[in-house]
Amino acid sequence: MIYKLETDALTALGHPGRLAVFRLLARRAPDAVRPSEIMGPLGLKQNTLSVYLATLSRAGLITSERDGRSIYYRIDLKQIGALVQFLVVDCCRGYPELCEPLAAHSLQRLNTDAEAMTDRIFNVLFICTGNSARSIFAEAILNKEGRGKFRAYSAGTEPSSSLNPYAIDLLKQLDYDASGLRAKNLSEFQGIDAPQFDFVFTVCDDAAHEDCPPWAGQPMTAHWGVDDPTRCEGTEGEKALAFREAFRQLYHRLSAFVALPIASLDAMSLQSKLFTIAQSDAPTSPGSTADV
């Protein structure tokens, strides 16, 4: 039996424009996104996007919420999981030989991941547009706080960039080694000689909107968006405060990340933890390193 909810979902995703919207929201998961953040990257007009969002909503693939006068959209992760389960379970009842290799591969990968995640150093890549501040903060923080467990890298999606002096000054003030930091383009990590990453995080919304090629090894991914401190306009003190806030948020999230019992978590549980960290920004306790 074919269920209406599943057929509606598959029909909605069968249109290239609607699929592009869905994929952008998936890259931003679990964040909610304003329509204006979708129109620009995808080059859509407002009325066209409204039609696409309405269709995806009726199909149960996305949800919406209002905050004041603004409406935000996000993918429905539970519904997406149900759709995938439907495709595997229902469709493969007639042809189980199609699903057995997939199931066996998934189980083998989970077991392999659990074994591989014991007693080794994890490669982590942080991506933003300019690679001048936020991703540089994340690289420096994780290489210090996660030393011996993680090896951090960072890159930007813009063709060229340079380190922001406010970011470097703050790192030095907080006793982080900035001597080896440099701005890097994402292409540096997409060649055959590049490190194979276990985790890839975007730390700015613009980078999350970009449709990057799949990463080798299928690393865990998440979007940990932080406001861009380089866009702050005001006094020198206000600019410095913006950089301190960006650092604080990243320090808080990376502290939670370093504390995860990665070796004891299966892939689904670990991905859920990464999503939870993305939505966390608890106040920093007095006297902590991040209280800057």
Side-chain angles (χ1 to χ4, degrees):
M1 176 181 179
I2 303 297
Y3 300 99
K4 184 177 185 303
L5 189 60
E6 282 74 17
T7 56
D8 287 349
L10 294 174
T11 299
L13 294 176
H15 184 278
R18 294 192 294 263
L19 179 60
V21 173
F22 174 81
R23 295 183 69 222
L24 186 149
L25 292 174
R27 293 193 295 273
R28 287 289 303 273
D31 286 358
V33 182
R34 295 189 301 261
S36 59
E37 297 178 88
I38 304 173
M39 289 188 293
L42 298 183
L44 296 174
K45 295 180 179 179
Q46 184 173 358
N47 58 342
T48 302
L49 177 60
S50 296
V51 173
Y52 290 169
L53 291 171
T55 302
L56 293 170
S57 295
R58 287 195 298 270
L61 294 170
I62 66 175
T63 61
S64 62
E65 58 193 62
R66 182 176 290 276
D67 183 6
R69 300 180 61 181
S70 300
I71 299 178
Y72 293 78
Y73 294 86
R74 74 173 84 231
I75 65 168
D76 188 330
L77 292 171
K78 184 179 295 186
Q79 183 59 34
I80 302 307
L83 177 61
V84 172
Q85 184 177 24
F86 163 79
L87 291 172
V88 173
V89 175
D90 191 85
C91 296
C92 287
R93 283 189 297 183
Y95 300 94
E97 64 275 10
L98 295 177
C99 293
E100 287 174 1
L102 176 62
H105 173 74
S106 298
L107 180 59
Q108 181 182 20
R109 183 180 172 220
L110 285 176
N111 292 335
T112 301
D113 287 347
E115 295 172 1
M117 286 183 174
T118 305
D119 298 328
R120 72 176 181 84
I121 296 178
F122 303 103
N123 288 328
V124 184
L125 178 64
F126 298 97
I127 303 173
C128 64
T129 49
N131 192 211
S132 66
R134 289 165 292 179
S135 54
I136 290 291
F137 279 160
E139 177 183 357
I141 292 169
L142 188 59
N143 276 332
K144 180 178 180 179
E145 308 303 333
R147 183 181 294 118
K149 185 177 180 181
F150 298 97
R151 184 181 296 110
Y153 304 83
S154 68
T157 58
E158 293 179 346
S160 62
S161 183
S162 59
L163 299 180
N164 188 285
Y166 283 95
I168 299 305
D169 287 345
L170 180 58
L171 287 173
K172 291 179 178 178
Q173 291 174 30
L174 297 174
D175 197 27
Y176 283 84
D177 183 11
S179 60
L181 296 174
R182 61 184 179 88
K184 304 166 289 295
N185 184 261
L186 190 59
S187 60
E188 185 172 324
F189 298 100
Q190 293 176 322
I192 58 175
D193 296 329
Q196 182 164 311
F197 294 105
D198 302 286
F199 301 91
V200 175
F201 301 111
T202 50
V203 293
C204 79
D205 295 346
D206 290 342
H209 290 158
E210 299 192 26
D211 191 5
C212 297
W215 291 95
Q218 295 181 305
M220 292 281 180
T221 62
H223 175 55
W224 289 355
V226 175
D227 288 342
D228 186 358
T230 67
R231 295 180 180 177
C232 177
E233 297 180 358
T235 65
E236 292 296 302
E238 289 170 333
K239 291 178 181 179
L241 185 61
F243 279 87
R244 288 171 177 265
E245 175 59 17
F247 179 93
R248 186 194 68 79
Q249 291 184 33
L250 288 166
Y251 182 91
H252 173 72
R253 291 172 181 173
L254 287 167
S255 295
F257 177 58
V258 169
L260 288 177
I262 294 178
S264 64
L265 295 173
D266 61 46
M268 291 184 64
S269 298
L270 181 54
Q271 187 68 69
S272 178
K273 295 288 187 183
L274 299 181
F275 283 161
T276 300
I277 290 174
Q279 296 177 308
S280 68
D281 187 28
T284 308
S285 58
S288 70
T289 304
D291 189 14
V292 298

